[in-house]
Amino acid sequence: MIALLVVACEVAFWVLLAAGLALRYVARKPKLGAAVLLCEPLLEVVLLVVTAIDLKSGAEPDWKHGLAAVYIGFTVGLGHHTIKKVDAWVAHRWFGGPPPVKPPKYGMARAVHEWRSAARWILAAAVALGLLQAAVWYVGPGGDISTLQSWQQKMGLVIGINLIIAGGYTLFPKQPPGDTGADAVGREPADRR
């Protein structure tokens, strides 16, 4: 049941997002659209409560309970950013809005972008880790918590990978093609002056 609820929450996330954007742009009711989008966190609350009830009623913790915690964490860490990106894309694509801002490609601006992205993923993993640890404590020492701990290890990997990627862009900033000098970043090509 938990796995189906996770899938239902993911589908509901996109349905609420589509409904909120339709109200905002098609029906020209931005406040109502925002209200619909604010219902998104209720999905995670429902998932959290159902998961806790399932564990409390004696269900053995398994991969589905871990998946629920990870889903909630990733929605907390990445949901707002996803909504903003989809909103900007819809506004531009169909309603004459400005084009979405593209991430910088080179130099320290790219490193800053990668750290911001890493921060969202690390927040997602940290929330998932916290929920997984709460589930471990909730189940107690008498239950089999190995699957929950396995999910915790995976979230540790997510954090580590994001730190490595962002750190790599900081230590080795990507340079524009053909530019290798220290002053090359941010300089316009000669033919554009």
Side-chain angles (χ1 to χ4, degrees):
M1 179 173 102
I2 299 297
L4 288 176
L5 187 57
V6 169
V7 171
C9 284
E10 180 66 9
V11 170
F13 174 86
W14 291 103
V15 168
L16 284 174
L17 180 56
L21 294 175
L23 286 168
R24 179 174 182 174
Y25 293 111
V26 177
R28 306 254 188 248
K29 297 185 184 250
K31 289 183 181 178
L32 186 56
V36 168
L37 292 176
L38 287 174
C39 292
E40 299 275 359
L42 294 176
L43 299 171
E44 283 66 50
V45 171
V46 168
L47 181 58
L48 181 63
V49 168
V50 170
T51 303
I53 290 171
D54 192 45
L55 288 172
K56 184 69 173 173
S57 65
E60 280 296 316
D62 61 11
W63 67 272
K64 296 180 288 276
H65 298 97
L67 178 64
V70 169
Y71 177 81
I72 292 168
F74 278 58
T75 301
V76 169
L78 303 170
H80 179 71
H81 181 71
T82 301
I83 290 170
K84 281 178 56 177
K85 297 245 335 167
V86 171
D87 181 35
W89 182 80
V90 167
H92 172 67
R93 180 78 168 101
W94 287 298
F95 299 99
V101 177
K102 292 185 178 182
K105 292 183 179 182
Y106 308 109
M108 290 310 291
R110 178 60 186 228
V112 169
H113 169 76
E114 291 299 329
W115 278 108
R116 286 183 180 144
S117 179
R120 286 188 290 273
W121 283 90
I122 291 168
L123 172 63
V127 170
L129 277 168
L131 289 172
L132 288 163
Q133 187 58 46
V136 166
W137 291 331
Y138 192 66
V139 171
D144 180 17
I145 55 172
S146 61
T147 55
L148 299 175
Q149 291 171 330
S150 174
W151 278 106
Q152 287 178 315
Q153 292 169 354
K154 289 175 178 76
M155 293 304 98
L157 279 173
V158 168
I159 291 171
I161 289 168
N162 277 280
L163 289 173
I164 290 169
I165 291 170
Y169 275 97
T170 302
L171 296 174
F172 309 103
K174 188 175 179 185
Q175 301 297 322
D179 286 340
T180 56
D183 64 338
V185 176
R187 193 178 69 208
E188 286 191 50
D191 61 342
R192 290 193 184 168
R193 288 186 188 167

